[in-house]
Amino acid sequence: MRLHRFIGNFDLSKKEVSINDADFINQAKNVLRLRAGDEIILCDGNMNETTARFAELGSLASKLEILKVYRNENEPENYAHLYCPILKKENFELAAQKAVEVGVKEITPIITARTIKLGLNYERLNKIIKEAAEQSGRGILSKLNKASDFEKSVDEAKNKNDLNLFFQTGYSLILQKNADRPKNTECHIGIFVGPEGGWADEEVKTAQSAGFTFAGLGKTVLRAETAAVVASYVAVNIQ
């Protein structure tokens, strides 16, 4: 039986942990219907986790016995950072959720020339990211940054990442890092996917001038949120 998983600021150094967070208690007691004696997984967000058993689970507080502490082994080697345009409706939320599930460690919403929607509910997005990390067995919570304009994001990525992938129709799929990148070491990879309507010509020129690596996702034309998820998976698993 798969155990339910919670990521939070838990102190796993002791034999017992007390939790009085209202959201945690509501999820455990009222949503999942857990009771004293049931076991769950607690993760501290820093790759440490434990199997824990409820000793008490009340309406206001809970106490859990820590059974075994170990390191999370699910985090990917690459540090993938998704720069995703703000998308219409709930499509950005979907892209963020699935990107976290496949292993992206940082997400920056970007404002491009063809961005239509500008507002984001960051509280809701962080909740979606947390639930996606818990569901997929991650050992950390992916970082969500405030929205940034395209040019600023390009400058940041150029100075911060080892490799920046700029996804555009008509290019080949990238499956390997630059040849001079050592194997089995963390590689910071930026992932730029276009908005609804695609990149503007000036944005393509900006990425070219920044030395970004242009890449494609096959012959079919993907929706922006689909491209964000597929591109994230490619970057996370690139060798």
Side-chain angles (χ1 to χ4, degrees):
M1 177 180 176
R2 183 179 178 183
L3 299 180
H4 295 291
R5 183 183 191 83
F6 296 85
I7 301 178
N9 187 26
F10 304 123
D11 182 359
L12 306 183
S13 64
K14 302 176 182 179
K15 293 183 178 181
E16 288 187 341
V17 57
S18 297
I19 305 174
N20 58 7
D21 178 76
D23 289 337
F24 172 88
I25 292 174
N26 179 65
Q27 180 73 9
K29 184 178 177 64
N30 300 322
V31 178
L32 300 177
R33 304 288 184 181
L34 299 175
R35 297 292 183 263
D38 289 338
E39 295 181 3
I40 61 173
I41 294 174
L42 296 179
C43 180
D44 67 0
N46 292 308
M47 304 291 289
N48 302 304
E49 56 189 52
T50 180
T51 304
R53 180 186 295 121
F54 280 103
E56 300 175 12
L57 181 53
S59 300
L60 300 177
S62 63
K63 182 179 293 185
L64 297 102
E65 175 189 2
I66 293 179
L67 303 179
K68 178 184 178 182
V69 179
Y70 47 91
R71 291 286 287 175
N72 180 284
E73 300 291 341
N74 299 330
E75 283 301 313
E77 181 180 289
N78 294 328
Y79 189 106
H81 184 161
L82 173 63
Y83 298 84
C84 183
I86 302 175
L87 305 174
K88 293 185 292 185
K89 300 181 180 179
E90 292 79 31
N91 293 339
F92 186 89
E93 294 178 355
L94 175 63
Q97 179 190 53
K98 300 307 177 185
V100 170
E101 288 180 14
V102 302
V104 160
K105 297 186 180 181
E106 191 168 351
I107 300 172
T108 297
I110 58 174
I111 301 169
T112 70
R114 291 174 177 160
T115 296
I116 298 175
K117 178 182 176 181
L118 295 179
L120 288 173
N121 186 333
Y122 288 93
E123 182 178 355
R124 175 176 165 82
L125 274 168
N126 277 309
K127 183 177 180 181
I128 288 171
I129 287 171
K130 182 175 183 292
E131 291 175 350
E134 291 172 339
Q135 183 275 325
S136 56
R138 300 284 301 274
I140 64 170
L141 289 179
S142 301
K143 180 182 179 182
L144 175 65
N145 298 318
K146 293 295 184 180
S148 172
D149 63 60
F150 174 76
E151 289 78 10
K152 182 178 178 181
S153 294
V154 168
D155 286 339
E156 177 201 81
K158 181 171 61 174
N159 296 319
K160 178 179 179 181
N161 299 321
D162 303 304
L163 172 66
N164 287 295
L165 300 177
F166 191 87
F167 286 90
Q168 174 81 320
T169 303
Y171 287 84
S172 300
L173 182 65
I174 300 294
L175 296 176
Q176 292 184 325
K177 305 173 190 174
N178 296 346
D180 60 347
R181 291 294 305 166
K183 299 291 184 181
N184 301 319
T185 59
E186 183 179 68
C187 183
H188 284 247
I189 302 175
I191 309 158
F192 283 76
V193 292
E196 295 103 342
W199 297 112
D201 291 343
E202 285 302 314
E203 291 168 339
V204 173
K205 293 177 182 177
T206 298
Q208 290 172 332
S209 298
F212 285 9
T213 299
F214 278 59
L217 293 172
K219 295 182 179 180
T220 59
V221 178
L222 305 180
R223 292 175 62 94
E225 64 273 20
T226 307
V229 180
V230 177
S232 294
Y233 181 83
V234 169
V236 166
N237 293 284
I238 199 170
Q239 298 297 312

